[in-house]
Amino acid sequence: MKIDFSGKTVVVTGAGHGFGRAISLAFAERGAHVWACDLNARGLSETKSLCKGACETRTLDIADRAAVGDLIAEAAKGRAVDILVNNAGGVRGQVGRPLEEISESDWHSIFDANVTGAFYCIQAVAPGMKQARFGRIINISSRAGLEISLTGIQAYASAKAAQIGLTRQLAHELGPWGITVNNVAPGFVRSNPTTEKQWQSYGEEGQRRLVESIALKRLGAPDDIAHAVMFFASDFAGWITGQVLSVDGGK
C-alpha cells in the first residue's frame, strides 16, 4: 500500500512532541505541506528540524477561537486545508484526585484542550473543505474515551468520550461534501513526559501487569498511531467515516 500526500496541505495540532510529532513527520515524508502547531515552542522547533523543511510551525492555543481561525486562514492561503489532525489534548498537568477536589478551572481546562479546541479547528477548516468538496479530519482520542482512564482523571475520560461523540456527529453533518471524520483511540504509549511519568509511577509490577493485559504483550510507539492516521487520511479510507480505530495492541 503506497500512501502519498504530495500537494496536500495538512494541519496537525499538538505537534511539539509525541504523537503529533510522529504524525507531522509521517505526512512530511509522504510529500505533504505540514503546518505543525503547539503551545510548546521548543518542541515545535525540534519537529521543524526533523521535518527537514517540509513543515511550517506556529505556536497556537487551540482554545483561542480567533487564533485558530487566523492559523487556518494562513495555512489555506486562499484554498482549502486538505487534512486536519486534532491531536492536541492531554491532562494539562493534572493527576487523579477525588471528584470533590476538582475545581471548575481544572474541569474546563481539560475540556478546552481535548474537545473545544478540536471543535474550533474543525469549524475553521469546514468552509474550505466544503467548497473543495473534499476533506479528511482525524481526531486523536484515547481508550479513556471508550472505557475508563488509567489516569483516574474524570475530565479526561469525559472529554475523550465527548470527542468521539463529536467525531460521529460531524461525520454525518459533513459527509455530503465528501469530508470524512474519523477517530484514532491510542492505548498506553510512552510518548511524552506526562506518559513517561505515568509509566514510572506504576513501578515494576504495575508495568508488568499493563504489558500482560495487551494481546501483543508489548507497548506501542508514536509511529503506530501515525500509521493509523495515514490510513484515515489516505484515498484508501475514502468510504470510511464516523469510525473509531483502537490502536492499542489488542485488549
Side-chain angles (χ1 to χ4, degrees), residues 50-61:
L50 291 168
C51 280
K52 298 178 181 178
C55 72
E56 302 280 348
T57 56
R58 297 290 186 273
T59 55
L60 177 69
D61 180 357

Side-chain angles (χ1 to χ4, degrees), residues 116-171:
T116 305
F119 178 77
Y120 288 160
C121 290
I122 297 170
Q123 197 174 47
V125 301
M129 288 183 174
K130 284 182 175 180
Q131 186 173 2
R133 301 194 71 81
F134 175 87
R136 297 282 189 267
I137 298 169
I138 301 101
N139 299 319
I140 309 299
S141 61
S142 168
R143 283 204 64 82
L146 295 169
E147 40 187 62
I148 63 170
S149 173
L150 294 176
T151 67
I153 299 173
Q154 305 88 346
Y156 184 69
S158 302
K160 288 305 189 184
Q163 192 201 75
I164 290 170
L166 180 67
T167 298
R168 290 171 173 152
Q169 187 67 37
L170 293 183

